[in-house]
Amino acid sequence: MTRFEDLYTEADTFLHRLDPRVKMASVLMLSLLAIIMSALTYLLVLLTFIFVLLLLARSSYRKTTFAMKFVLRFMALIAILWPLFDPSGTPVLIRLGPVVITEPGIWRGLASAARVGCLATVWYILIFTTSQRDLVRGLVKLGLRFDFGLALAIALRYFPTFGTVMDSIIDAQRSRGMEFEKGNIFVRARKYVAVLGPAIVSALKTADMLALALQSRAYGARRNRTYLRELNMRPSDYVALVAALAMFIVPAIAKYAFSIPI
Amino acid sequence: MNVSIAAQSPPIISLQNARFSYEGGVEALRGVSLNVARGENVAIVGGNGSGKTTLAKHLNGLLKPSSGKVLIGGEETSTTSVATLARTVGYVFQNPDYQLFCTSVSEEVRFGPKNMGFGHDDESALAERALKLMGISHLREQSPVSLSLGDRRKVAIASVLATSPRVLVLDEPTTGLDSVESAQLMATLGVLRSEGMTIVLITHDMRLVAQHMDRVIVMSEGRIAFDAGVEEAFSDPDRLKRCKLLAPPITVLAQRLQAQGLLTEGATTPLQLVEQLVRVRGEQQ
Ligand SMILES: Nc1ncnc2c1ncn2[C@@H]1O[C@H](COP(=O)(O)OP(=O)(O)OP(=O)(O)O)[C@@H](O)[C@H]1O
Ligand SMILES: [Mg+2]
């Protein structure tokens, strides 16, 4: 079931308490910062800062390792492959026929890996610490149409359910002697027709019933709806927002207005 | 099947202190031991979440015990693939929509035998036989998705029967069926049984159990609370209640009549009750 699980973990940390809008804005700022930075040292400082945030998020150990395994593997892949395709600069370290590896290439590979690590982790932190409901509510408050927000919330909500359905379908087909592990990749891909067919039918049926259930509870009777719990910015939210903005704007000015290499 | 032979031959299903926990930490089986002989007709009953489905999924290797043993036809499931076990044990899922994907009923029914590598001719013969048994030969060319729930379930069962298993496990096959459809399904199971099929039926319908099954395994909180013949299983209302079950109405009626001194023995089916009443009257006259 782990494949489709909601990554959010209930906890009471300052990251959980932040207004979802502020959190989204901060994540965006940190992402932009990671994108404009190119010096390895600064990227590593940023990565360390983000990893500290990850620790502070107190997400479940299982979910954290599950997500970070992907991130770390991807970082390693970039660090290894980048120098092979970016041979500019000197000194040349290795020259093997068409393969040229230079020292600056290696540094740039490490920097790119760190950048991707920052980007992926910071978005994971957002998902780890914000319930789907709060994410959607934040987006709606920021101007997303309410019905789109509801559609998004429902999609997120049904993701794990859909995963369970997929597991049941796979079990049902295995019970009729189907072996998903056998054959080459094309044969195997074709076998998934036996899973996707029932999955799509059952998803459509669920969607149909859900639409009826929403309508029978008067969904669509009013264009705008009220909320039981309004989002309200607290002083700490403003502090966090200003800090996040500064974390992007100050380095951006340093880099582009004063040509400081960061 | 001859009882003495059944008792002699090794059990087709054997669980020895099987335990199983789901990833989330729920211990769904807490040491289950049981033997089912070839040709036996067993109902698994119990409250919601008592572990019936988990137990059933161990019978064809979809789940493997975390400790203890599950033997099917003498082979341990933990070292046997589901595809191999599927040749012995057919498993009908509760929701037929989880397995129907072909564009026609006949294709759907041939899917299992095809996976198992029966030749084309055998495949056709097996499929035809399964369609006929389930009484859906006339639906052959239809699309399974567009059929009624009753018919979809028949297609699902036929598609499992077509793999010619020796054991048939059905998880709540009568849920959502009207009483005529249920009765038909139970009659079909009776036919299969007379051909020597071992049947394991999970159900919440105690009337069906009383009418059609020989042996009742009652699950409660991941354990077998008791394992008995139908009459004995329904004889103790308090014990049933502790397992979140109620005896079928006929049994309750017979128990009340017994308490009033109007009957000497219990009954689990209408026929039995009538026979008892007739006998008591005969004795009085
Ligand atoms: N995939 C799963 N992951 C985690 N826990 C599960 C899973 N499936 C079942 N369980 C838990 O295992 C226990 C036994 O469940 P099981 O489905 O075997 O019960 P059941 O007797 O079939 O119930 P029902 O009558 O509702 O079908 C329950 O506590 C259930 O919540
Ligand atoms: Mg069940």
Side-chain angles (χ1 to χ4, degrees), chain A residues 1-2 62 165 168-169 171-179 193-194 197-198 201-202 205, chain B residues 23 57 60 62 82-83 86 91 93 97-101 108 111-112 115-116 145 152 159:
Chain A
M1 237 89 318
T2 40
R62 197 167 51 82
V165 169
S168 296
I169 294 170
D171 278 353
Q173 306 302 30
R174 290 208 305 152
S175 301
R176 291 197 288 168
M178 178 159 238
E179 290 174 278
V193 172
V201 169
S202 105
K205 280 188 178 167
Chain B
E23 237 181 80
K57 283 187 176 169
N60 76 339
L62 285 173
V82 177
Y91 188 112
F93 272 67
D97 297 338
Y98 286 173
Q99 52 173 286
L100 306 178
F101 73 101
E108 191 68 55
F111 175 74
N115 282 330
M116 298 188 177
V145 181
R152 290 206 299 282
S159 80

Side-chain angles (χ1 to χ4, degrees), chain B residues 126-165:
Chain B
L126 286 167
E128 280 311 313
R129 206 182 87 89
L131 287 172
K132 201 163 152 229
L133 257 171
M134 295 313 299
I136 49 170
S137 300
H138 60 288
L139 300 175
R140 205 179 279 129
E141 302 305 325
Q142 302 232 22
S143 161
V145 181
S146 60
L147 301 173
S148 70
L149 174 66
D151 286 341
R152 290 206 299 282
R153 190 157 278 155
K154 285 180 192 166
V155 174
I157 298 174
S159 80
V160 170
L161 279 180
T163 61
S164 66

Side-chain angles (χ1 to χ4, degrees), chain A residues 83-121:
Chain A
L84 294 174
F85 296 97
D86 179 11
S88 59
T90 50
V92 173
L93 297 178
I94 298 172
R95 190 187 295 275
L96 256 178
V99 180
V100 178
I101 293 177
T102 65
E103 197 186 303
I106 288 180
W107 294 127
R108 280 192 297 268
L110 289 175
S112 300
R115 183 181 298 127
V116 167
C118 290
L119 286 171
T121 311

Side-chain angles (χ1 to χ4, degrees), chain A residues 31 50 68 71 74 114-125:
Chain A
S31 304
I50 290 174
M68 293 316 289
V71 175
F74 201 54
R115 183 181 298 127
V116 167
C118 290
L119 286 171
T121 311
V122 85
W123 286 94
Y124 265 127
I125 293 174

Side-chain angles (χ1 to χ4, degrees), chain A residues 1 164 167, chain B residues 20-30 44-57 63 94 171-172 202-204 219 221-222:
Chain A
M1 237 89 318
T164 318
D167 283 341
Chain B
F20 180 82
S21 302
Y22 282 102
E23 237 181 80
V26 187
E27 193 172 23
L29 293 187
R30 307 174 185 214
I44 301 181
V45 300
N48 290 124
S50 56
K52 304 182 294 294
T53 300
T54 309
L55 172 58
K57 283 187 176 169
L63 296 176
Q94 181 173 359
D171 195 349
E172 301 189 29
I202 298 177
T203 183
H204 287 291
M219 296 288 296
E221 294 173 2

